[in-house]
Amino acid sequence: MPGRVITITSGKGGVGKTTTTANLAVCLALLGQRVVAIDADIGLRNLDVVLGLENRVVYDLVDVVEGRCRLRQALIRDKRLSEMYLLPAAQTRDKTAVNPGQMVEICNQLRPDFDYILIDSPAGIEQGFQNAVAGADEVIIVTTPEVSAVRDADRIIGLVEAGEKGPARLIINRIKPDMVRRGDMLDVSDVLEILRIDLLGIIPEDEHIIVSTNKGTPVAHDIGVPAAQAFRNIARRLRGEEVPFMSLGGSDNLFGRLRRLIAPRSDTH
Amino acid sequence: MWDRFTGKKRVTSREVAKQRLQLVLIHDRSDISPVMLEALKADLIAVISEHLEIDQEGIEITLSESRGRSRLLATIPILGRRTRR
Ligand SMILES: Nc1ncnc2c1ncn2[C@@H]1O[C@H](COP(=O)(O)OP(=O)(O)OP(=O)(O)O)[C@@H](O)[C@H]1O
Ligand SMILES: [Mg+2]
């Protein structure tokens, strides 16, 4: 079966796209899948450091596009997971160094050899985003439970729908259960009611993410850590399993409410 | 909990965030800005005033959403019929 190309995007910057891409890549590889993660944030390369692979970068995405190396030569194998690879972004170029057609071509070349091709999108709705979603079979939108992030997510959902990619799914990141309980943070059901898309996962605010990013070892490797559990759950849902959502301070009857709220955008009242 | 018994309601920042988001998204999705609504209101007043005497202060024009469509709701209190020249 050819691999699935999944783009992780957000609209607003800094909400956790790169963290999510890195950890989902790890989790899928831990599930025995062949995974390649592509850093499409040209000029602001990040995925290499989050994965702890920055010292191994020789060629990058732009080198591939401009024919300085073959695609295979630019892929960096992970230190721990033999079935996981990174295609790094160029650091000294900008988004215009690659076009959507070239991204589609790269995805097509990778499909036969991998089960999952994860693309870390840059923030925004400009060419970098267009490049990142061009080859996607599916789109994952990451947001945090904040007004500006949710607003930008709504814009992206509209753009993805217009691009006929099929329905995008949502990850809500950096939920603080204490604040939700106090009524000082939008909860999962609020965000779903507003955005009206399917929920793929929820991730708590977790200091372990910062520690693991410092070390260049994605948190998903740390069994027992809340964020790691959240990413593992998401990876299993991507595999088609039904995995219950964590309880992160939302209303008691979260599941019933979630189910009712996940209605297609077009036929809610 | 206590608030529920006493009937008092503390408006949480969560509720404020939700309301603000819902409103801003109605405008974003329809691509109709609050400024544009004001201009529309002025035009409506002008046109309707040719036929009816209306209470300009009491006019309410809002955008809402239903069945995936943006809807423009105008409530215009009528004071009487304009006697035409
Ligand atoms: N659940 C979380 N708990 C704690 N820290 C987090 C969490 N998710 C992300 N972070 C931190 O937030 C910062 C931004 O995350 P990340 O780089 O993944 O966002 P991004 O969406 O890729 O940003 P950009 O738009 O700049 O590419 C990082 O320092 C990351 O460690
Ligand atoms: Mg990033």
Side-chain angles (χ1 to χ4, degrees), chain A residues 116-129:
Chain A
Y116 288 91
I117 298 132
L118 304 182
I119 303 180
D120 180 17
S121 162
I125 53 174
E126 318 295 329
Q127 187 177 343
F129 159 75

Side-chain angles (χ1 to χ4, degrees), chain A residues 18 41 46 120:
Chain A
T18 302
D41 201 347
N46 269 163
D120 180 17

Side-chain angles (χ1 to χ4, degrees), chain A residues 89-100:
Chain A
Q91 178 66 336
T92 53
R93 302 291 294 273
D94 66 47
K95 331 270 179 212
T96 58
V98 176
N99 67 43

Side-chain angles (χ1 to χ4, degrees), chain A residues 142-161:
Chain A
V142 182
T143 189
T144 58
E146 286 168 273
V147 175
S148 51
V150 174
R151 180 191 198 177
D152 291 356
D154 189 75
R155 181 96 162 87
I156 291 287
I157 292 167
L159 291 174
V160 170
E161 274 179 356

Side-chain angles (χ1 to χ4, degrees), chain A residues 13-19 41 123 173-174 203-206 209-210 213:
Chain A
V15 298
K17 296 177 292 296
T18 302
T19 306
D41 201 347
N173 186 25
R174 309 197 79 153
I203 304 162
E205 172 80 21
D206 188 343
I209 290 187
I210 295 164
T213 309

Side-chain angles (χ1 to χ4, degrees), chain A residues 146-147 150-151 154 182-187 189-190 193-196 257 265-269, chain B residues 10-22 24-25 27-29 65-69:
Chain A
E146 286 168 273
V147 175
V150 174
R151 180 191 198 177
D154 189 75
R182 286 205 303 269
D184 276 329
M185 183 174 264
L186 291 167
D187 72 14
S189 64
D190 294 332
E193 183 184 333
I194 288 165
L195 293 179
R196 296 180 228 143
R257 288 180 67 192
R265 282 165 78 81
S266 48
D267 55 63
T268 358
H269 44 274
Chain B
R10 180 178 76 102
V11 179
T12 61
S13 76
R14 164 201 167 194
E15 288 166 307
V16 176
K18 190 172 174 184
Q19 281 164 13
R20 290 179 62 220
L21 253 171
Q22 280 167 331
V24 77
L25 288 183
H27 286 285
D28 284 359
R29 287 171 184 166
E65 257 190 344
S66 69
R67 280 183 231 113
R69 282 262 165 95

